Amino acid sequence: MTSRIRRKASSLAAAGLLEYAVQMALPVILVRHLTKQEFGDYRLIWLVATTGVILFPLFLPQSLLYFLPRAAPGTRPKLVGNTFASLFALGGLSVLLLLVLMPVLPGSIAGLQRHSPLVQIFAGTWILASILDVLPNADGRAEWQACATVGLAILRAAALSGAAVASGDVGWVLMAMCGVAMVKVGTAVAYALFAAQETGLGFDGQLARMQLNYSLPFAVAQGLFALRGQADQWVVAANFSNTAFALISIASMVTVVGMLTRRPLNDALQPSINSLVGEGKLDDARALIQKAYLLVGLMLPPVLGLLISTAEELVELIYTRAYLGAVPLMRIYLLGDMATVFAAGHLLLAFGFGRQAAIVGAISLLLSIALSILALQFFGLAGAVAGSITSLVLWECWALNKVAKALGTSIAQMIRLDQTWKVILVVAVGVFVVHIFCSGLDTSVLLRLFVKSSVFVMVVLLGFVLTNMHRSSLLREWLK
């Protein structure tokens, strides 16, 4: 089982990393062909669309990860058809609500009305297209999922950068975004009709009610959690101009690094963990989760440490010096990711903790908004980010404790703290050394990036040798 999961996780991880690389390359073109105000509008449009994907799909695409592996013969097309029909209706509802509400929304969000109705059309279509982010993997076709992810990432980058270069107008970029969303919907339909394990689309009202009964508690819980992650951006959008929002949106891009590291592994493990928990095999589920945390604990902290050390150079290289104000915000986000390396929110699904997660998620969201607004008054944009990060750390601590108790173990044992503390210590020393010896470099951005990266990597490798991490059981246990 482990080897099969490892192959799935590897293909999804490779696809995710390539998608992220393409996403990082796209702003290199956009910031050089759009004004700061237009780039701010572009980022605000994505904020509206991603918030729509949080609120409207009701966790139905993700519910396929639970239902499809358990589906009786002949029911898969109905489960997928139910999800398509629901997303179509919910996407249409989002379009109508945005048409009515956008003119009265606060701050710079209301300014997007000048791009109406394209913003509404894009948001609604993106909600419908969100099924493709889950469907192939839930259907047992991780390689198909990886190919779709890479292909659409390349199409998106080519279409949006081409529109920006040709027109220099965010309106044409928005039209390209609508086109990409429609292609994504078409790809999802084509998969269901021609490539799925059981091809075709159907509808079953009773199954639809079962899906909704399962997904709604998690829709509330995960929606509140995701909105908590966006709370600081909405606070800034309501109180600052779109150019200030561009800074915080650029800084928040680094949060994708943690997601890209964890998500492929989580997606590959989720069906297996669901099955093991459903069969009462908690020992096997605990062993699988521990192995996953071992791998994450080895891989993610060094990546985050490298980004903390080179944040200034990366922003200057990708976004130009005009956006260097995003650097301190980016480092706060990265510190938050470091504190939540062992995220456990996704594991709550396997244990049916949807209602409890919804309650804690609501508290976390309210706390995030309150802290961001309060800190904003004293520390500006950095305060808004810090408020959001604080609520994230508290949420993940609760989720870790809940899952550990359900598995009959402790947090320290579940995340193998006896091994992973060495990694975190070595990374902290690497960041400190780079700051002490390389912060005063006065040379080109590429040379500064190379020197800082080289110093960090050498310190981390030396630290692994001195702590005997190169001989540890981390990888050996994963490879068993």
Side-chain angles (χ1 to χ4, degrees):
M1 177 184 289
T2 302
S3 60
R4 178 171 55 86
I5 292 173
R6 190 165 58 245
R7 287 195 300 271
K8 291 173 62 177
S10 298
S11 63
L12 292 173
L17 288 172
L18 182 56
E19 180 189 30
Y20 182 65
V22 172
Q23 287 183 24
M24 291 299 293
L26 179 57
V28 174
I29 298 174
L30 295 182
V31 297
R32 288 164 173 79
H33 291 85
L34 301 177
T35 65
K36 291 185 71 173
Q37 180 178 359
E38 287 182 318
F39 185 72
D41 283 348
Y42 167 78
R43 297 302 304 165
L44 282 167
I45 292 167
W46 275 112
L47 177 65
V48 171
T50 53
T51 302
V53 170
I54 292 170
L55 293 175
F56 286 93
L58 302 182
F59 208 69
L60 285 168
Q62 291 83 350
S63 74
L64 294 174
L65 287 166
Y66 178 87
F67 284 102
L68 287 183
R70 294 170 165 84
T75 58
R76 284 175 176 257
K78 295 176 183 178
L79 289 166
V80 177
N82 292 345
T83 306
F84 267 111
S86 300
L87 290 178
F88 182 82
L90 292 164
L93 177 62
S94 72
V95 172
L96 294 176
L97 288 176
L98 280 174
L99 285 170
V100 173
L101 295 178
M102 186 169 287
V104 298
L105 288 174
S108 53
I109 298 294
L112 293 179
Q113 180 65 16
R114 58 182 172 270
H115 302 298
S116 188
L118 286 177
V119 174
Q120 292 86 343
I121 292 172
F122 173 68
T125 309
W126 202 245
I127 289 169
L128 177 58
S130 65
I131 189 174
L132 187 62
D133 298 330
V134 179
L135 175 57
N137 183 49
D139 195 41
R141 302 286 177 82
E143 292 77 10
W144 212 102
Q145 181 82 65
C147 291
T149 298
V150 172
L152 285 166
I154 294 173
L155 173 64
R156 172 176 156 186
L160 272 58
S161 59
V165 171
S167 67
D169 185 351
V170 71
W172 284 99
V173 174
L174 179 53
M175 290 183 65
M177 291 163 64
C178 291
V180 171
M182 293 175 184
V183 170
K184 190 174 180 180
V185 172
T187 304
V189 173
Y191 175 85
L193 293 178
F194 304 110
Q197 289 192 30
E198 294 184 36
T199 57
L201 292 171
F203 186 82
D204 186 304
Q206 184 176 359
L207 275 177
R209 286 190 293 272
M210 288 177 58
Q211 287 177 267
L212 280 172
N213 287 336
Y214 171 83
S215 68
L216 281 177
F218 291 108
V220 175
Q222 296 294 322
L224 291 170
F225 176 76
L227 287 173
R228 183 223 51 75
Q230 291 188 331
D232 51 351
Q233 295 186 47
W234 279 101
V235 168
V236 170
N239 290 277
F240 290 89
S241 67
N242 53 2
T243 53
F245 174 79
L247 294 178
I248 194 172
S249 69
I250 287 172
S252 67
M253 287 290 291
V254 294
T255 61
V256 180
V257 174
M259 182 193 72
L260 286 175
T261 305
R262 290 188 294 257
R263 182 175 174 180
L265 186 60
N266 294 342
D267 288 348
L269 288 173
Q270 198 72 47
S272 299
I273 293 174
N274 284 340
S275 298
L276 291 172
V277 172
E279 296 168 5
K281 299 178 180 178
L282 295 184
D283 289 341
D284 292 339
R286 180 171 58 249
L288 200 56
I289 291 169
Q290 284 177 326
K291 287 184 178 182
Y293 277 146
L294 282 170
L295 190 63
V296 170
L298 178 64
M299 292 174 54
L300 187 52
V303 174
L304 296 176
L306 179 61
L307 291 174
I308 291 173
S309 298
T310 59
E312 182 175 345
E313 287 71 29
L314 290 173
V315 170
E316 182 178 347
L317 185 64
I318 297 172
Y319 298 99
T320 74
R321 295 186 62 85
Y323 294 93
L324 284 178
V327 172
L329 310 180
M330 184 177 289
R331 285 178 170 147
I332 296 174
Y333 277 120
L334 289 167
L335 288 173
D337 278 349
M338 190 76 77
T340 57
V341 165
F342 304 105
H346 65 286
L347 295 173
L348 298 171
L349 281 69
F351 297 94
F353 293 146
R355 295 184 185 279
Q356 297 175 54
I359 294 171
V360 177
I363 296 172
S364 179
L365 174 60
L366 293 175
L367 180 64
S368 179
I369 294 172
L371 289 176
S372 292
I373 292 175
L374 179 63
L376 183 71
Q377 311 304 317
F378 297 97
F379 306 107
L381 296 178
V385 176
S388 175
I389 293 302
T390 301
S391 67
L392 170 64
V393 173
L394 293 174
W395 158 270
E396 289 297 352
C397 287
W398 172 82
L400 269 174
N401 184 61
K402 196 72 179 174
V403 172
K405 286 184 176 180
L407 290 170
T409 186
S410 66
I411 293 177
Q413 290 176 331
M414 189 170 70
I415 67 175
R416 293 300 303 273
L417 192 59
D418 59 320
Q419 296 280 349
T420 55
W421 74 267
K422 299 177 184 178
V423 180
I424 296 172
L425 176 62
V426 167
V427 169
V429 171
V431 172
F432 180 74
V433 169
V434 170
H435 176 71
I436 293 298
F437 293 101
C438 303
S439 58
L441 287 176
D442 185 16
T443 183
S444 68
V445 61
L446 285 174
L447 185 57
R448 294 200 316 270
L449 179 62
F450 174 77
V451 171
K452 287 187 175 183
S453 300
S454 300
V455 171
F456 179 83
V457 170
M458 286 189 293
V459 170
V460 168
L461 291 177
L462 178 62
F464 281 176
V465 172
L466 293 177
T467 57
N468 288 321
M469 285 300 298
H470 64 300
R471 296 178 180 176
S472 78
S473 60
L474 279 171
L475 289 180
R476 289 201 301 272
E477 291 197 33
W478 171 253
L479 293 172
K480 285 181 181 177

